[in-house]
Amino acid sequence: MTHPRLTLPAPAKLNLMLHILGRRADGYHELQTLFQFLDYGDELDFALRQDGEIRLHTEIEGVPHDSNLIVKAARKLQDLSGTALGADIWLRKVLPMGGGIGGGSSDAATTLLGLNHLWNTGIDVDRLAALGLGLGADVPVFVRGHAAFAEGVGEILTPVEPEEPWYLVLIPQVSVSTAEIFSDPLLTRDSLPIKVRPVPKGNSRNDCEAVVSRRYPEVLNALNSLKKFTEARLTGTGSCVFGAFPSKAEADKVSHLLAETLTGFVAKGSNISMLHRTLQNLSQETSAIHS
Ligand SMILES: C[C@](O)(CO)[C@H](O)COP(=O)(O)OP(=O)(O)OC[C@H]1O[C@@H](n2ccc(N)nc2=O)[C@H](O)[C@@H]1O
Ligand SMILES: Nc1ncnc2c1ncn2[C@@H]1O[C@H](COP(=O)(O)OP(=O)(O)OP(=O)(O)O)[C@@H](O)[C@H]1O
C-alpha cells in the first residue's frame, strides 16, 4: 500500500539584528538577536515507512546522508518517541547553504514537526524545541514558528511582532562557516545587553558584519551595493545580506537594478512561519473531516 505524502515548507529566517554579549566556558557565544521568517524556503515531502528506516532520497552535495540535519532530526525523534515507524523523505533545496538564513536548521525543524504529525507521537512543542537545540542553535525558533527576540545561545525566546516588510535578500556566491566567524579573534564580543521592548528596529546592527566583510569581499560588495538604495544588513554570520522595503514592487525594482552583478530573491517577512500556517490549515482540515 502506498501512503499519501505530507508536504511541508521549511522557510528561511533573517536576523534583523545580532549582538554578541560574551563567550561561555563551552565556547558558545551569548547573543541577543531578533528572528523573523521569510515566506520563502525549502520544501520537504514525508511518507510513512512501517520498517523503521529513515531514508532521505535527495542528496545534498558535500553532506553525507547520515550527517544531513533532516536525517539526524528524524532519528532523534524516533529515539525520543520510541516509535517503530520510519519515513521516506524528499527535499527541494532552494535556500543557499552557509547563507545565514537557516536552511539546515529549518529543514531539521520541519522534519521534527512533520514526523511528529505523521507518527502521531503527541510530543509537545516545548520538548521538540529542546530536542531541536541539540541539532543547532537556530532550530528552536523554527520549531516554535513565531518571530522572536532570542537570548542565551539563541534558545531563550520571547515572541515579538515586528513590522512585516518585503525584503530583498542578496546571496553573495560564498559559503560562510558559522564556527569560523565565531572563532575569529577580531569578533566584537562585548556588546551591552538591551531590553526586549521596544522591539529593536530592523536596521540596528549585526556584530558579525565587520569580521565577515573583512574575510569575504563578496559580502562587503553586496552590502555596499544595497546601501545605495536602503539600509543593508548581514543576517546571522552571513553570507546573505538584506534590505527592507514597504512594497514588493520597490524590492523588485532594486533587485532588477542589481541583477547584473548580484543574485538574490524578494520575499515577505512573516511573524508566523509558513510551516506553522500550513500545519494550522492541516489541523483545521482534519478536524473538519472528523466533525
Ligand atoms: C549566528 C546564528 O545564525 C544566529 O541566528 C546562530 O546562532 C547560529 O546557529 P547555527 O547555525 O544553528 O549554529 P550551530 O550549528 O549551533 O553552531 C555552529 C558553531 O557556531 C558557534 N556558535 C554558534 C552559536 C552560538 N550562539 N555561539 C557560537 O559560538 C559554535 O562554534 C558552533 O560550533
Ligand atoms: N538539510 C541541510 N540543509 C543545509 N545544510 C545542511 C543540511 N544538513 C546538514 N547541513 C550542513 O549544515 C551547514 C550549514 O547549513 P545552513 O544552510 O543551515 O547554513 P546557514 O544558513 O549559514 O545557517 P545558520 O543561519 O543557522 O548559521 C551546511 O554547510 C551543511 O554542511
Side-chain angles (χ1 to χ4, degrees):
M1 189 180 101
T2 55
H3 291 280
R5 289 188 186 188
L6 173 65
T7 300
L8 292 174
K13 56 86 176 168
L14 291 177
N15 297 95
L16 300 184
M17 47 72 68
L18 195 159
H19 297 175
I20 303 173
L21 312 187
R23 188 161 27 178
R24 303 192 315 198
D26 63 3
Y28 264 74
H29 289 73
E30 295 275 351
L31 314 170
Q32 284 188 323
T33 186
L34 185 58
F35 285 110
Q36 191 177 46
F37 305 104
L38 294 174
D39 283 349
Y40 185 86
D42 299 342
E43 202 169 55
L44 284 91
D45 293 323
F46 303 93
L48 263 188
R49 287 181 71 102
Q50 302 294 340
D51 62 2
E53 291 276 319
I54 301 296
R55 293 224 180 122
L56 176 63
H57 297 277
T58 320
E59 259 183 58
I60 302 184
E61 213 189 302
V63 183
H65 181 270
D66 289 359
S67 307
N68 196 300
L69 288 168
I70 294 170
V71 176
K72 288 187 170 182
R75 295 202 169 130
K76 269 185 174 256
L77 188 65
Q78 275 184 322
D79 289 346
L80 183 72
S81 65
T83 184
L85 296 169
D88 287 307
I89 308 173
W90 295 264
L91 166 69
R92 278 179 293 286
K93 193 81 196 152
V94 169
L95 301 175
M97 308 216 303
I101 55 178
S105 312
S106 189
D107 290 348
T110 294
T111 303
L112 292 177
L113 290 170
L115 292 182
N116 196 44
H117 179 87
L118 211 61
W119 292 340
N120 208 7
T121 62
I123 296 172
D124 66 26
V125 165
D126 287 345
R127 289 175 75 202
L128 290 179
L131 192 69
L133 183 61
L135 294 162
D138 283 345
V139 181
V141 73
F142 285 112
V143 168
R144 293 188 183 279
H146 201 291
F149 186 76
E151 299 174 273
V153 296
E155 84 291 9
I156 306 167
L157 298 169
T158 306
V160 287
E161 297 282 345
E163 288 168 19
E164 297 177 325
W166 285 86
Y167 291 103
L168 168 58
V169 180
L170 297 176
I171 312 171
Q173 297 303 300
V174 288
S175 175
V176 178
S177 144
T178 301
E180 168 202 316
I181 300 307
F182 277 118
S183 62
D184 192 308
L186 295 176
L187 187 68
T188 302
R189 296 184 169 87
D190 57 358
S191 286
L192 293 173
I194 59 164
K195 290 215 166 66
V196 181
R197 291 204 165 75
V199 173
K201 277 281 175 208
N203 51 16
S204 67
R205 66 176 198 283
N206 179 330
D207 281 340
C208 300
E209 216 164 279
V211 162
V212 177
S213 298
R214 191 176 304 112
R215 285 175 170 261
Y216 298 94
E218 298 89 341
V219 173
L220 181 62
N221 175 49
L223 282 167
N224 287 339
S225 301
L226 193 52
K227 274 179 188 161
K228 290 178 190 143
F229 302 95
T230 186
E231 285 277 346
R233 276 283 156 271
L234 185 77
T235 174
T237 52
S239 61
C240 291
V241 309
F242 64 94
F245 295 86
S247 69
K248 180 174 187 307
E250 281 164 86
D252 280 337
K253 194 169 128 194
V254 176
S255 173
H256 290 137
L257 289 168
L258 294 174
E260 215 168 278
T261 50
L262 290 158
T263 55
F265 62 88
V266 167
K268 181 93 162 60
S270 70
N271 293 336
I272 307 281
S273 86
M274 275 196 306
L275 169 63
H276 284 254
R277 294 188 332 250
T278 307
L279 286 169
Q280 263 163 22
N281 288 340
L282 206 69
S283 63
Q284 276 161 11
E285 281 166 24
T286 314
S287 56
I289 290 167
H290 294 296
S291 67

